[in-house]
């Protein structure tokens, strides 16, 4: 097996996971547990694909995928923040809704291929100098534009959360909304904006699958990646930088089955690896508790100022 | 004094929770450079008034004026904008963040100007005599440090009106004295300080004027030098009462609890109880004194069976308690009552109603699979009447009641079981004078 091409493919396979994980990190840092990642990815995937198929514009397709993901998140935010509905139930419902909606809208497009000009737009790009580094150049710097964008988003999210006062306020909203409220932070505004941003990033992750990774339309194109992302958030301990490593690790597990075709190990066992890895990661990392990797304290709970 | 325009004044403020009127036409005037105390029993409306002033609750009716101009407080943001700084009874700090992060929270400060922030904080610290490590995480802080941080937060925002809601409840006398010094300095700087406390000696020591509230209404505003604790208490309660605590003579019986060479660890595994031995006899009250965090909590929990014992013996009426849990206590009829300091954490369940909370300790002794709520519903009604618990009904989630009322339910449940030994940690927290007297009888 060619190690360099395997690792390079790992990065590509990890990219949709990275988008979804980053979207959910932003969501959970606001104190909301949105289990609708899978749904938002699917809505984004179908919106992106249909836009690309009908208009042939890659940027428009990406934009539509993000808007679609954000729209899904908006419904979730309205229900959980404004109406204070149960977050787990609402998130699950969003996943079921997204799955159904994407199958319904995508019915006519099953098996259709992304137009050539869109495919060309997303073909691997070499970055001067960086791509010529032996090994690393091939693994990290010979990819399509969305791979680079995902890394940029990860770094930007890290700076936003840990290096800006807006990010500090956001973390306070997720940790202790009544303290944040007393410090004159507009809780609902913060939640609406960041949850919708999170949804947009998840939608982008879905579009990466339908526009670049596959790139044809098939039903349930995400095949559980949204769920893996929810687990990766915990695995990455809510840290966007760690999310990069975590996503590529699971991207690697995802493709190892194809790459080891002649292996003695059963193919079915290899296909199971990402899911098995998720279970192991969740068990190990939720048992280990420290300040650095503990979830936002108010995660999953509604906030109502006048509650006593 | 009357000619001056009050810094802040409150007129005819009303606020109801369901059918309970927490504030009913409250009037208050507070001037620059004074320490104004709010005094009142549980449910007199002090905390509600504070929450209205800090923008957490919206008043149903009434007006608030700041320096003669009417203002509208619809969120804590408004309150801060008008220079009203509140130190809440339950601290509003983010545990996972450092002191510095908590101070700058919610303000538009560029991270690059952090040095200016540090300078300003250092200046405030030296001006008011506050000591604080800026890089320390809140979860590692003691209560006193948290309190200092809350004060710094308010000072940093440049508050003109400082509200302190029962700040001394968990303080040692030394810590209280430090806090009073800060309050005096703020007063000198021309701020108005609103102070809430249950402790009469503190009220008499620090206040300039005192406003007494009763059942959501303002009774009277008095000048400290023209009044005395007796008058204040009568105004608070609405009747003359005897303040002195009488020690009832009881027959000292046989030894009921014996603790020998007890060793207990705290949550982090640090050994906090190191070799303690004592015994208690029937008809005896044993007081345990010490500053917060000296191991009182761990000792109480070890005796009550909710914390493991590392070493030593706890013998209750000839029976060993170490290694047994509360469930076994109830089963074996070990008659031991426990009032933990954290009433909603360990004592009661906030989202459950009164009946269910009473059931928690007695359902195991019932026969059959199904629970019979009737006898306990009757008992709950009795408690409401006997202890004057202010609640919309016995089927109302208790977390929505005021702290004092929650404490009454807990005390009522434990005392109702007629325990032979009662362990109480800070049992009068949130209770006022009449209640304390009631329970000693």
């Amino acid at each position: 097996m060619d190690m360099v091409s395997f690792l390079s493919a790992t990065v590509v396979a990890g990219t949709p996971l990275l988008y979804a994980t980053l979207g959910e990190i932003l969501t959970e840092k606001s104190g909301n547990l949105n289990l609708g990642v899978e749904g938002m990815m699917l809505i984004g995937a179908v919106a992106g694909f249909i836009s690309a198929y009908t208009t042939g514009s890659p940027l428009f397709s990406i934009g539509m995928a993000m808007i679609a993901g954000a729209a899904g998140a908006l419904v979730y935010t309205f229900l959980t923040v404004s109406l204070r509905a149960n977050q787990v139930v609402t998130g699950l419902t969003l996943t079921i809704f997204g799955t159904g909606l994407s199958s319904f809208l995508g019915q006519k497009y099953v098996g259709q291929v992304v137009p050539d000009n869109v495919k060309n737009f997303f073909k691997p790009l070499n970055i001067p100098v960086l791509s010529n580094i032996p090994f690393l150049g091939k693994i990290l710097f010979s990819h399509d534009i969305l791979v680079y964008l995902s890394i940029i988003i990860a770094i930007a999210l890290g700076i936003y959360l840990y290096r800006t006062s807006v990010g500090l306020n956001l973390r306070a909203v997720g940790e202790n909304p009544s303290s944040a409220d007393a410090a004159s932070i507009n809780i609902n505004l913060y939640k609406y904006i960041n949850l919708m941003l999170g949804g947009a990033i998840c939608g982008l992750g879905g579009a990466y699958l339908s526009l670049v990774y596959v790139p044809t339309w098939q039903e349930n194109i995400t095949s559980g990646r949204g769920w893996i992302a929810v687990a990766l958030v915990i695995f990455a301990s809510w840290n966007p930088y760690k999310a990069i490593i975590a996503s590529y690790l699971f991207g690697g597990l995802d493709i190892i089955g194809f790459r080891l075709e002649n292996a003695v190990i059963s193919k079915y066992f290899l296909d199971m690896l990402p899911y098995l890895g998720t279970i192991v990661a969740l068990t190990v990392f939720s048992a280990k508790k420290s300040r650095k990797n503990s979830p936002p304290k108010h995660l999953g709970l509604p906030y109502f100022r006048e509650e006593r | 004094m009357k000619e001056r325009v009050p810094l802040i004044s409150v007129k005819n403020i009303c606020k109801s929770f369901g059918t309970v009127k927490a504030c009913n036409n409250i009037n208050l005037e507070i001037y620059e450079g004074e320490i104004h105390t709010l005094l009142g029993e549980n449910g007199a409306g002090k905390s509600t008034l504070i929450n209205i002033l800090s923008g957490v609750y919206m008043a149903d009716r009434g007006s608030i004026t700041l320096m003669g101009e009417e203002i509208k407080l619809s969120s804590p943001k408004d309150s801060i904008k008008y220079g009203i700084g509140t130190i809440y009874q339950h601290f509003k700090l983010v545990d996972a963040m450092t002191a510095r992060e908590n101070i700058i929270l919610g303000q538009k400060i560029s991270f690059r100007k952090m040095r200016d922030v540090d300078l300003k904080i250092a200046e405030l610290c030296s001006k008011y005599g506050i000591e604080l490590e800026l890089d320390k995480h809140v979860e590692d802080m003691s209560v006193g440090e948290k309190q200092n941080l809350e004060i710094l937060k308010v000072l940093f925002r440049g508050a003109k009106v400082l509200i302190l809601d029962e700040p001394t409840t968990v303080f040692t006398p030394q810590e209280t004295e430090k806090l009073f010094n800060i309050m005096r300095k703020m007063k000198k700087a021309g701020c108005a300080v609103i102070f809430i406390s249950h402790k009469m000696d503190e009220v008499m020591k620090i206040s300039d004027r005192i406003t007494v509230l009763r059942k959501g209404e303002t009774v009277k505003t008095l000048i400290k030098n023209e009044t005395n604790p007796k008058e204040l208490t009568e105004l608070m309660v609405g009747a003359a009462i005897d303040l002195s605590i009488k020690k009832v003579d009881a027959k000292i019986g046989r030894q009921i609890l014996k603790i020998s060479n007890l060793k207990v660890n705290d949550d982090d595994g640090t050994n906090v109880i190191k070799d303690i031995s004592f015994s208690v006899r029937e008809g005896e009250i044993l007081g345990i004194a010490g500053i917060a965090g000296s191991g009182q909590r761990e000792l109480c929990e070890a005796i009550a069976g909710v914390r493991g014992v590392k070493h030593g013996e706890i013998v209750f009426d000839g029976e060993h308690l170490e290694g047994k849990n509360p469930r076994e206590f109830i089963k074996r009829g070990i008659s031991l009552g426990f009032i933990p300091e954290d009433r909603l954490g360990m004592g009661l369940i906030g989202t459950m109603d009164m009946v269910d909370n009473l059931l928690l300790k007695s359902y195991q002794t019932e026969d059959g699979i199904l629970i019979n709520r009737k006898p306990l519903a009757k008992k709950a009604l009795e408690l409401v009447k006997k202890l004057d618990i202010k609640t919309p009904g016995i089927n109302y989630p208790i977390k929505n009641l005021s702290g004092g009322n929650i404490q009454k339910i807990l005390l009522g449940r434990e005392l109702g079981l007629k325990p032979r030994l009662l362990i109480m940690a800070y049992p009068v927290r949130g209770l006022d004078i009449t209640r304390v007297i009631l329970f000693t009888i």
Side-chain angles (χ1 to χ4, degrees):
Chain A
M1 188 174 68
D2 177 5
M3 205 57 197
V4 172
S5 78
F6 171 70
L7 289 177
S8 176
T10 286
V11 170
V12 175
T15 296
L17 289 174
L18 179 55
Y19 276 117
T21 307
L22 293 173
E24 183 66 6
I25 285 178
L26 187 58
T27 305
E28 294 196 12
K29 277 286 182 188
S30 328
N32 275 56
L33 179 69
N34 188 352
L35 295 181
V37 184
E38 178 88 355
M40 293 186 293
M41 284 179 86
L42 280 167
I43 298 172
V46 78
F49 187 86
I50 294 175
S51 305
Y53 192 80
T54 47
T55 68
S57 160
L59 290 176
F60 177 74
S61 316
I62 292 176
M64 284 310 286
M66 291 179 78
I67 291 171
L74 176 64
V75 176
Y76 168 86
T77 312
F78 177 71
L79 289 171
T80 55
V81 175
S82 297
L83 302 182
R84 289 186 280 276
N86 182 304
Q87 297 183 8
V88 171
V89 175
T90 312
L92 286 173
T93 313
L94 179 58
T95 288
I96 296 167
F97 171 74
T99 312
L101 185 74
S102 67
S103 308
F104 174 69
L105 294 177
Q107 233 172 8
K108 283 191 290 186
Y109 303 92
V110 175
Q112 301 287 6
V113 185
V114 171
D116 283 341
N117 63 322
V118 177
K119 255 193 211 162
N120 279 335
F121 183 82
F122 293 123
K123 72 168 193 277
L125 297 172
N126 283 333
I127 300 177
V129 188
L130 288 178
S131 300
N132 299 331
I133 305 170
F135 287 113
L136 280 182
K138 192 90 185 72
I139 295 166
L140 289 175
F141 302 107
S142 57
H143 295 294
D144 58 86
I145 191 160
L146 284 181
V147 171
Y148 302 134
L149 181 67
S150 68
I151 297 171
I152 292 169
I153 290 179
I155 294 167
L157 193 58
I159 293 171
Y160 170 57
L161 285 175
Y162 299 110
R163 293 266 176 273
T164 68
S165 57
V166 186
L168 177 73
N169 293 350
L170 176 69
R171 281 187 288 139
V173 169
E175 288 283 343
N176 189 339
S178 82
S179 301
D181 198 3
S184 76
I185 295 166
N186 187 337
I187 308 288
N188 285 5
L189 182 70
Y190 267 81
K191 287 206 169 190
Y192 265 93
I193 291 177
N194 289 291
L195 260 59
M196 285 176 68
L197 265 178
I201 299 172
C202 289
L204 200 50
Y208 187 78
L209 288 168
S210 64
L211 296 179
V212 187
Y213 193 68
V214 177
T216 52
W217 180 252
Q218 61 191 52
E219 214 167 281
N220 198 16
I221 196 163
T222 51
S223 55
R225 284 186 180 85
W227 293 110
I228 294 179
V230 173
L232 284 182
V233 172
I234 302 167
F235 184 57
S237 59
W238 292 267
N239 182 323
Y241 306 126
K242 285 190 198 159
I244 302 178
I245 300 161
S247 301
Y248 294 161
L249 189 67
F250 274 73
L253 290 178
D254 199 14
I255 55 163
I256 204 161
F258 299 115
R259 300 273 158 169
L260 289 176
E261 264 170 24
N262 303 325
V264 263
I265 315 164
S266 154
K267 181 183 176 305
Y268 298 103
F269 180 80
L270 292 173
D271 285 346
M272 190 179 72
L273 279 179
Y275 308 98
L276 190 68
T278 308
I279 295 170
V280 172
L282 278 184
T283 328
V284 172
F285 277 78
S286 48
K288 200 180 112 198
K289 284 229 164 62
S290 76
R291 180 184 298 146
K292 275 262 158 201
N293 57 15
S294 58
K297 275 223 184 69
H298 216 258
L299 182 62
L301 304 169
Y303 174 64
F304 176 44
R305 187 191 285 156
E306 294 211 6
E307 187 159 36
R308 295 211 260 186
Chain B
M1 202 160 188
K2 279 288 153 197
E3 269 97 68
R4 282 164 55 197
V5 182
L7 183 59
I8 189 161
S9 79
V10 166
K11 284 197 191 79
N12 301 325
I13 286 284
C14 297
K15 173 82 185 171
S16 309
F17 294 101
T19 52
V20 180
K21 271 192 180 160
C23 285
N24 190 13
N25 285 324
I26 289 200
N27 289 288
L28 199 63
E29 287 187 338
I30 292 148
Y31 294 90
E32 275 181 17
E34 75 165 341
I35 295 176
H36 196 117
T37 299
L38 289 182
L39 204 59
E41 291 189 284
N42 299 320
K46 297 172 310 242
S47 286
T48 310
L49 178 65
I50 294 315
N51 278 320
I52 289 171
L53 280 175
S54 43
V56 175
Y57 296 162
M58 291 265 281
D60 298 338
R61 261 189 298 132
S63 66
I64 300 164
T65 48
L66 188 81
M67 300 210 274
E69 270 178 60
E70 186 164 338
I71 53 171
K72 217 174 132 40
L73 302 172
S74 48
S75 73
K77 194 174 179 174
D78 292 341
S79 229
I80 291 169
K81 194 175 77 194
Y82 290 118
I84 302 169
T86 310
I87 290 158
Y88 299 88
Q89 192 177 356
H90 306 285
F91 299 135
K92 303 253 180 181
L93 297 169
V94 182
D95 286 345
M97 293 185 180
T98 63
R100 185 188 289 103
E101 287 174 324
N102 268 286
I103 291 172
I104 61 170
L105 200 62
Q107 301 182 79
K108 289 191 177 67
I109 293 169
S110 154
F111 265 44
R112 272 169 292 154
K113 288 197 180 137
M114 211 43 93
R115 195 181 293 175
D116 299 349
V117 171
D118 282 3
L119 279 175
K120 193 176 166 191
I121 296 173
E123 197 184 303
L124 286 170
C125 282
S126 66
K127 189 173 163 194
Y128 290 98
I130 302 170
E131 280 168 37
L132 197 67
E133 283 173 60
L134 285 180
D135 289 313
K136 198 166 179 177
H137 280 82
V138 173
E139 57 198 352
D140 300 331
M141 287 184 178
S142 70
V143 204
E145 284 174 300
K146 285 183 189 172
Q147 183 82 267
N148 282 342
L149 175 55
E150 282 281 17
I151 293 171
L152 260 182
K153 247 172 81 180
V154 170
L155 293 173
F156 190 82
R157 292 184 165 86
K160 282 290 283 174
V161 181
L162 179 74
I163 304 171
L164 296 133
D165 192 359
E166 294 193 38
T168 59
T169 336
V170 282
F171 269 15
T172 60
Q174 290 89 330
E175 283 172 317
T176 305
E177 195 43 56
K178 264 191 186 165
L179 178 70
F180 282 1
N181 278 330
I182 295 169
M183 284 166 66
R184 287 190 194 104
K185 277 178 186 158
M186 291 212 58
K187 177 181 146 183
K188 269 197 197 120
C191 296
V193 181
I194 303 176
F195 177 63
I196 294 174
S197 175
H198 275 129
K199 298 181 188 167
M200 196 55 83
D201 53 327
E202 291 177 359
V203 173
M204 292 309 287
K205 194 170 172 190
I206 192 85
S207 331
D208 295 313
R209 292 196 303 152
I210 298 158
T211 293
V212 181
L213 303 180
R214 188 172 68 226
K215 290 181 180 156
E217 293 175 33
T218 13
V219 180
K220 202 175 180 186
T221 299
L222 307 112
I223 294 165
K224 198 257 314 251
N225 294 336
E226 296 168 6
T227 185
N228 56 60
K230 197 168 178 304
E231 186 191 1
L232 288 172
T233 318
E234 285 177 17
L235 285 171
M236 245 165 80
V237 182
I241 51 159
D242 186 2
L243 265 185
S244 59
I245 296 171
K246 288 194 198 74
K247 205 171 148 227
V248 186
D249 284 321
K251 212 179 95 224
I252 302 291
R254 61 203 170 86
Q255 182 178 304
I256 192 158
L257 178 76
K258 184 170 166 51
I259 287 178
S260 32
N261 306 96
L262 187 69
K263 273 188 191 153
V264 180
N265 287 358
D266 68 4
D267 295 338
D268 301 329
T270 321
N271 187 226
V272 278
I273 302 282
K274 302 158 185 160
D275 203 17
I276 284 185
S277 305
F278 64 82
S279 66
V280 186
R281 291 167 295 173
E282 282 175 340
E284 209 174 35
I285 296 175
L286 178 81
I288 295 169
I291 60 163
S294 301
Q296 303 95 316
R297 198 184 111 206
E298 286 76 9
L299 177 63
C300 292
E301 288 177 4
I303 302 172
V306 286
R307 182 177 289 274
V309 171
K310 274 272 124 189
H311 178 80
E313 290 181 337
I314 304 172
V315 184
F316 177 86
D317 205 13
E319 198 161 353
H320 281 265
L321 294 192
E322 67 268 13
K324 292 198 181 76
N325 58 37
R327 197 187 180 92
E328 285 170 75
F329 287 11
I330 296 171
K331 266 197 189 141
R332 286 162 180 258
I334 295 173
S335 175
L336 190 147
F338 179 39
I339 316 262
E341 59 176 335
D342 178 13
R343 57 191 167 219
L344 275 185
M346 206 177 263
L348 301 166
I349 297 177
T351 47
M352 283 190 180
D353 65 18
M354 242 185 108
V355 182
D356 287 343
N357 268 298
L358 292 179
L359 261 172
L360 283 178
K361 255 205 149 163
S362 23
Y363 78 95
Q364 290 167 37
T365 52
E366 279 187 25
D367 298 326
I369 311 167
L370 299 173
I371 284 171
N372 185 5
R373 289 177 101 239
K374 272 200 192 117
L376 284 160
K378 215 175 118 206
K379 201 170 151 198
L381 283 173
E382 255 170 53
L383 279 181
V384 169
K385 226 167 135 194
K386 225 159 126 192
L387 305 180
D388 191 22
I389 298 169
K390 291 189 183 68
T391 169
I394 52 166
N395 295 321
Y396 189 72
I398 60 162
K399 69 168 180 183
N400 296 343
L401 303 178
S402 80
N405 282 314
I406 295 172
Q407 191 74 349
K408 281 188 219 166
I409 295 172
L410 180 57
L411 283 166
R413 182 183 76 190
E414 296 298 320
L415 291 173
L417 295 169
K418 300 204 168 44
R420 290 187 60 205
L421 175 73
L422 183 64
I423 308 157
M424 305 199 277
Y426 301 103
V428 293
R429 173 177 288 181
L431 287 181
D432 44 58
I433 300 157
T434 38
R435 299 313 147 214
V436 177
I437 285 176
L438 203 142
F439 285 120
T440 47
I441 290 168

